[in-house]
Amino acid sequence: MEKILIGSDKSGFELKEAVKVHLKERGYLVEDCGTTDPEAAKGYFLVAPEAAKKISKGEYEKAILICGTGMGMAVVANKYPGVYAAVCENTYAAEKARAINNANVLTMGGWITGSIAGIAIVDKFLDTEFTQDLEPWRQEFLKGAFSEVQKLEAEIYQKP
C-alpha cells in the first residue's frame, strides 16, 4: 500500500478532508499532519515544515498540502532539500509539474479549488511520472536539467 502525506491550515481544511477520503478510497495509506480540527487550526507555516521534513528525510515520496491559495505551503515546503512543491490550480498544471519538474509535493488553494476539481488535480498529479509521455529528446533534457537542479540544491545545503 502506497503512503502519502496530507496537511492543511484552516483555509484548506474542507478540501483536505475531501481529498483524504478520496485517497483512502484509492487505497493509499494517508498520514494527516494537520489541521485535524478547524477550530484549533495549525498555520501553513507549521504544517508545511512537518510534511517537508518527512519528504526530505525520505520517509514519504509525495505530499499534498492545502492552504488558502496553495502558495504559502509551497513557499515554506520548498525551503527543505529534496522537496519540489508546485502550486497547481488545474489538471494540466498538475500533470506538467510531475512530468516536467518532477514535483513531489502538490499544493492547492482551498479558497480557489473546489473538491471535485481538487480531487481531479490530485489524481493527475499522482498518476503522472517524471518525463511521462514526452519525446525522447525532451526526456533526456529534463533528466539532465533535474540533475543540475539537484547539484544546485547540494551546493546550497552543504554544510561549511
Side-chain angles (χ1 to χ4, degrees):
M1 182 178 288
E2 195 172 353
K3 58 184 186 173
I4 192 163
L5 279 165
I6 192 166
S8 76
D9 62 7
K10 185 173 184 168
S11 301
F13 181 78
E14 187 177 320
L15 178 55
K16 179 197 60 126
E17 290 299 305
V19 169
K20 187 164 66 170
V21 167
H22 176 71
L23 290 171
K24 288 178 179 179
E25 288 172 353
R26 280 193 61 177
Y28 283 89
L29 178 60
V30 180
E31 180 182 334
D32 190 335
C33 53
T35 289
T36 55
D37 176 0
E39 299 308 314
K42 293 166 65 173
Y44 72 91
F45 52 88
L46 298 173
V47 176
E50 188 174 331
K53 286 174 188 175
K54 291 181 180 192
I55 296 286
S56 188
K57 291 177 184 174
E59 295 173 25
Y60 285 81
E61 290 184 16
K62 294 188 182 103
I64 299 164
L65 301 173
I66 307 165
C67 60
T69 63
M71 293 175 209
M73 290 287 195
V75 167
V76 174
N78 279 321
K79 302 292 185 217
Y80 293 83
V83 175
Y84 311 108
V87 182
C88 298
E89 296 175 353
N90 57 57
T91 56
Y92 184 79
E95 177 183 26
K96 297 310 176 194
R98 286 285 307 130
I100 293 173
N101 302 111
N102 202 17
N104 56 6
V105 177
L106 167 65
T107 70
M108 296 187 291
W111 297 334
I112 297 167
T113 305
S115 296
I116 293 171
I119 287 167
I121 292 166
V122 165
D123 283 347
K124 186 59 80 170
F125 184 84
L126 295 176
D127 294 341
T128 303
E129 296 297 324
F130 183 43
T131 73
Q132 180 177 317
D133 299 330
L134 299 175
E135 306 93 327
W137 71 266
R138 191 177 309 267
Q139 290 179 9
E140 289 307 309
F141 173 81
L142 291 171
K143 288 174 185 174
F146 189 71
S147 177
E148 291 300 315
V149 169
Q150 289 179 311
K151 287 177 189 175
L152 287 171
E153 185 178 58
E155 181 181 309
I156 291 166
Y157 290 103
Q158 76 178 350
K159 296 181 182 176

